[in-house]
Amino acid sequence: MKLQAGRYDWLLLGIIVAVALFLRLYQLSSAPPGLSGDELFNAIDAQLIGSGNWPIFFEGNYGREAFFFYLMAASMKLLGSTIVAVRLPAVLLGTGSVILSFLLGRNLFNRRVGLLTAGLVAVSLWPVMASRWGLRAVSLTFLTALTVYFFHKAVYNGRFYHWLLAGLSLGLTCYTYIPARVFPAVLIGWFGWLVWRQRALARQHWRQFLLALLIGFLIFAPFGAYMMQYPDKVNQRINTMSSALTDLRNGNPATLGESVLGVLLMFSFVGDEKWRYHLSGQPVFDPLTSLFFYIGIGLCLWFAFARKRDATKWAPAPTYALI
């Protein structure tokens, strides 16, 4: 029965992925119309990769991490200097995130959650839009999801190569987008939770966990050395957004409060009014998905803190595993 359910799941996932690809590929060269300034900047830098030019960080346009640009360079090498080639890496990463959402939802909860999650990511406004721009933020979503998937598989399956893949994906995540710089702290916090709530698993895997962190650190090391050598270049974008903290240090917390409130409201009530990369004022979730979003947060907190969990009930189903 498990094998039959697994085949049925993969069939449904295939349909979901086909829908996701259609929504991300349809009229890709004309919607959004033309290349934005950021996309054009990215395309020019991607074209210059090769022939002795292998940047670890792109200093122009307030600084940008390199992972996405190497994918764009490969796409443009294959398809030429076209709008489709510029945006195709985002399409593939966004579609890959649909598959990962299924794997994570199924492994962390159950197969129905996995399929529902994949379906929502496939058709929801923001994931679709992020997959149709030639911008690097979509690579952060994909690689953080991939990293979490491999770490979870490693802990609950105990296969050594999962730890190696977890470390590899963690290291690559640091080359995606600015928030990736704090992502290792999330994983360390998660393992700390294992020490607290599932001590036997933590005691069994702490060496492998440190090995995965070491692998991630070694992959990140070239970029880390660059960051230490050129902090002003790496932090250009962060420095342009520090006015709220400056006001706070000067005794005016209102600017920071407005910024925090804007972030909290964007999930369900009102989004940014600028039209640059989204619909003006459109929040992340509609009323129905907002309800499920907040219920999901509550359930996750309850699962994490309210009761002792049986680790065997949370192990991924190896029969369905891709890797």
Side-chain angles (χ1 to χ4, degrees):
M1 292 182 65
K2 283 186 177 181
L3 286 173
Q4 289 178 344
R7 296 191 189 101
Y8 182 64
D9 289 349
W10 293 122
L11 175 61
L12 289 177
L13 180 62
I15 295 172
I16 292 170
V17 170
V19 172
L21 267 175
F22 173 78
L23 293 176
R24 287 156 175 78
L25 282 172
Y26 180 68
Q27 295 188 353
L28 184 62
S29 62
S30 57
L35 287 177
S36 69
D38 287 336
E39 286 182 296
L40 186 58
F41 220 121
N42 295 346
I44 292 171
D45 280 340
Q47 279 187 315
L48 298 177
I49 293 176
S51 301
N53 180 45
W54 307 101
I56 203 167
F57 184 78
F58 292 85
E59 299 172 2
N61 201 18
Y62 296 101
R64 290 148 302 141
E65 291 78 6
F67 177 81
F68 187 77
F69 298 97
Y70 281 87
L71 297 182
M72 186 182 290
S75 177
M76 295 174 73
K77 190 74 172 178
L78 290 172
L79 302 177
S81 300
T82 64
I83 294 178
V84 170
V86 170
R87 293 174 173 171
L88 185 61
V91 170
L92 298 179
L93 291 169
T95 305
S97 295
V98 173
I99 299 172
L100 285 170
S101 67
F102 164 73
L103 295 173
L104 284 169
R106 185 202 60 191
N107 288 3
L108 290 168
F109 296 98
N110 57 55
R111 50 186 290 272
R112 294 181 183 86
V113 171
L115 289 169
L116 179 60
T117 305
L120 287 172
V121 174
V123 302
S124 293
L125 174 65
W126 300 113
V128 171
M129 291 181 68
S131 303
R132 296 180 65 91
W133 290 104
L135 304 174
R136 72 191 192 283
V138 68
S139 63
L140 173 67
T141 304
F142 175 81
L143 277 172
T144 50
L146 186 66
T147 302
V148 171
Y149 171 72
F150 281 133
F151 268 100
H152 184 267
K153 290 282 288 186
V155 166
Y156 290 99
N157 270 7
R159 296 178 181 176
F160 185 72
Y161 69 88
H162 286 128
W163 291 108
L164 301 180
L165 293 172
L168 173 63
S169 58
L170 174 60
L172 290 176
T173 300
C174 297
Y175 291 84
T176 58
Y177 200 41
I178 295 170
R181 300 176 194 180
V182 298
F183 180 58
V186 175
L187 296 172
I188 293 171
W190 168 70
F191 199 80
W193 176 85
L194 284 180
V195 172
W196 176 39
R197 303 292 282 182
Q198 297 184 13
R199 191 162 300 174
L201 275 176
R203 188 181 300 114
Q204 179 183 355
H205 294 299
W206 69 269
R207 294 179 183 83
Q208 295 95 318
F209 181 77
L210 290 179
L211 174 63
L213 290 184
L214 177 62
I215 293 171
F217 175 78
L218 292 175
I219 295 172
F220 164 71
F223 184 32
Y226 183 94
M227 293 175 68
M228 294 178 65
Q229 189 174 2
Y230 304 106
D232 291 340
K233 294 179 180 179
V234 173
N235 295 320
Q236 292 177 73
R237 192 171 297 272
I238 294 175
N239 292 336
T240 64
M241 301 177 181
S242 60
S243 59
L245 296 178
T246 301
D247 289 348
L248 180 64
R249 286 194 294 267
N250 293 332
N252 178 20
T255 306
L256 180 61
E258 291 174 3
S259 179
V260 172
L261 180 63
V263 171
L264 294 176
L265 291 177
M266 78 174 187
F267 291 103
S268 304
F269 300 99
V270 60
D272 195 334
E273 294 181 356
K274 295 180 181 179
W275 285 88
R276 190 173 188 182
Y277 291 123
H278 54 78
L279 300 179
S280 178
Q282 178 74 33
V284 174
F285 301 116
D286 59 59
L288 179 61
T289 51
S290 289
L291 176 63
F292 287 115
F293 173 65
Y294 296 117
I295 291 174
I297 290 175
L299 287 174
C300 286
L301 292 173
W302 183 74
F303 285 136
F305 299 110
R307 63 190 181 94
K308 195 81 170 180
R309 300 200 318 189
D310 179 3
T312 60
K313 293 181 180 179
W314 289 74
T319 305
Y320 303 156
L322 279 175
I323 298 178

